[in-house]
Amino acid sequence: MTRMILAAAQMGGIQKDESREEVVARMLALMEQAHEKGAGFIAFPEMCLTTFFPRFYVEDRAEFDHWFEKEMPGPATQPLFDAARRYGMGMTFGYCELTPEGQHFNTSIIVSPQGEITLKYRKIHLPGHAEYEPERTHQHLEKRYFLPGDLGFNVARSQDVLMGLAICNDRRWPEAWRELGLQGVELVCIGYNTPSQNNLSKNEGLEQRLYHHELSVCAGAYQNSTYAMAVAKCGMEDGNHMIGGTIIVDPDGFVIAKAETEGDEVITAEADFAKCAFGKSTVFNFAAHRRIEHYGRISTQTGVKLPE
């Protein structure tokens, strides 16, 4: 089984006036640092090419099309693919995708050390709302600017590791983890841009949000016996604060590396993917223990239905 040094490349805030080229230069510097630490795979955050523009409301959604990528790689992002080949390093990063059909998605990809895209994922669990809501402390308009992902939760073998993707809010949903776990996933990469304040509750601030973030990732990794990297874009961005807390988690659900700052920072940990096998063959031996005849509500019901 494979051993590999994993790198989680946390990024500080990206301001509205930063160009793609400036952001990519920051990413390339983080890739160089990871390479110097011997990393074979590096994970970047959600929407790591732009500011988190869903905090802003515009009547005409098309005004924000300039935040989206019409091709991947494109001229501004090609240097990332070139660096992956140069370093022999796989990578994953998140961006905003505008398809030829005019559809908008919050997207992440896995790229091989040969610079080839081996997996694409479009965010499924979109949080927030679609219309301006004045009672909120800040807007969270992902439902306005993105469609729910249409590619499902898939796993692909890259660098001899079974890798899967999730984005931000997905990490809170056990269904997302189990979909990946049922494909034998060994590494789940999750980028996020999470505000430090719940915009409908003054009682849920930075400390609580960091706790729930770590709880979700550790539980998901443990319950599916997989490594996980959860990578933040964090700190102050356009006058708004987002949580840090970038972590690498092992298949037993323990944090084995954690960021110390709210800025550009690379953390690393060695993964021995053979360790995924124990949990998958014992406590979480799905073939032996799952009872799907009792799980019908999970796939047929959305909202709560109270018993009569």
Side-chain angles (χ1 to χ4, degrees), residues 33-93:
Q33 292 176 39
H35 175 65
E36 291 172 352
K37 295 181 178 183
F41 186 84
I42 186 169
F44 289 99
E46 172 192 28
M47 290 179 60
C48 69
L49 299 175
T50 66
T51 194
F52 187 79
F53 61 83
R55 64 171 65 95
F56 305 114
Y57 175 87
V58 290
E59 186 68 29
D60 182 0
R61 293 167 175 82
E63 289 185 30
F64 279 178
D65 279 0
H66 66 282
W67 298 119
F68 288 78
E69 310 302 315
K70 295 182 179 179
E71 57 180 336
M72 185 57 65
T77 52
Q78 184 62 51
L80 297 169
F81 290 72
D82 296 339
R85 284 192 291 270
R86 184 166 64 251
Y87 295 138
M89 180 191 300
M91 65 176 174
T92 177
F93 63 89

Side-chain angles (χ1 to χ4, degrees), residues 6-208:
L6 302 175
Q10 180 174 280
M11 297 182 72
I14 297 171
Q15 314 311 318
K16 285 189 290 186
D17 60 356
E18 285 190 66
S19 69
R20 295 286 201 287
E21 290 76 15
E22 289 174 311
V23 175
V24 167
R26 288 169 57 184
M27 295 172 70
L28 291 172
L30 292 168
M31 290 183 77
E32 183 176 5
Q33 292 176 39
H35 175 65
E36 291 172 352
K37 295 181 178 183
F41 186 84
I42 186 169
F44 289 99
E46 172 192 28
M47 290 179 60
C48 69
L49 299 175
T50 66
T51 194
F52 187 79
F53 61 83
R55 64 171 65 95
F56 305 114
Y57 175 87
V58 290
E59 186 68 29
D60 182 0
R61 293 167 175 82
E63 289 185 30
F64 279 178
D65 279 0
H66 66 282
W67 298 119
F68 288 78
E69 310 302 315
K70 295 182 179 179
E71 57 180 336
M72 185 57 65
T77 52
Q78 184 62 51
L80 297 169
F81 290 72
D82 296 339
R85 284 192 291 270
R86 184 166 64 251
Y87 295 138
M89 180 191 300
M91 65 176 174
T92 177
F93 63 89
Y95 64 98
C96 304
E97 178 189 8
L98 178 55
T99 72
E101 297 76 27
Q103 295 178 310
H104 301 75
F105 295 103
N106 187 340
T107 298
S108 283
I109 53 173
I110 290 174
V111 179
S112 74
Q114 293 75 41
E116 299 172 350
I117 296 174
T118 59
L119 183 66
K120 176 187 282 189
Y121 169 72
R122 292 167 173 163
K123 186 175 182 179
I124 288 172
H125 295 106
L126 296 176
H129 48 107
E131 300 300 331
Y132 185 82
E133 296 183 0
E135 68 273 18
R136 294 177 181 265
T137 59
H138 56 275
Q139 302 300 298
H140 197 132
L141 292 157
E142 288 193 55
K143 283 183 165 68
R144 185 172 187 82
Y145 301 120
F146 301 115
L147 293 172
D150 59 356
L151 299 177
F153 293 101
N154 296 306
V155 168
R157 186 176 295 278
S158 191
Q159 298 176 255
D160 202 31
V161 176
L162 291 169
M163 298 185 184
L165 295 170
I167 300 176
C168 197
N169 190 39
D170 290 322
R171 72 195 189 277
R172 302 185 178 102
W173 296 84
E175 298 92 333
W177 290 92
R178 185 62 88 232
E179 278 284 320
L180 298 172
L182 284 167
Q183 299 169 76
V185 73
E186 297 165 324
L187 175 63
V188 178
C189 296
I190 308 159
Y192 60 98
N193 287 210
T194 300
S196 60
Q197 180 66 50
N198 185 316
N199 62 10
L200 290 174
S201 172
K202 295 180 180 179
N203 297 321
E204 185 183 337
L206 180 61
E207 182 178 356
Q208 292 86 353

Side-chain angles (χ1 to χ4, degrees), residues 247-267:
I247 50 176
I248 302 175
V249 179
D250 75 7
D252 290 318
F254 290 101
V255 176
I256 54 176
K258 188 172 186 175
E260 298 179 352
T261 73
E262 288 186 348
D264 291 9
E265 179 182 355
V266 174
I267 61 172

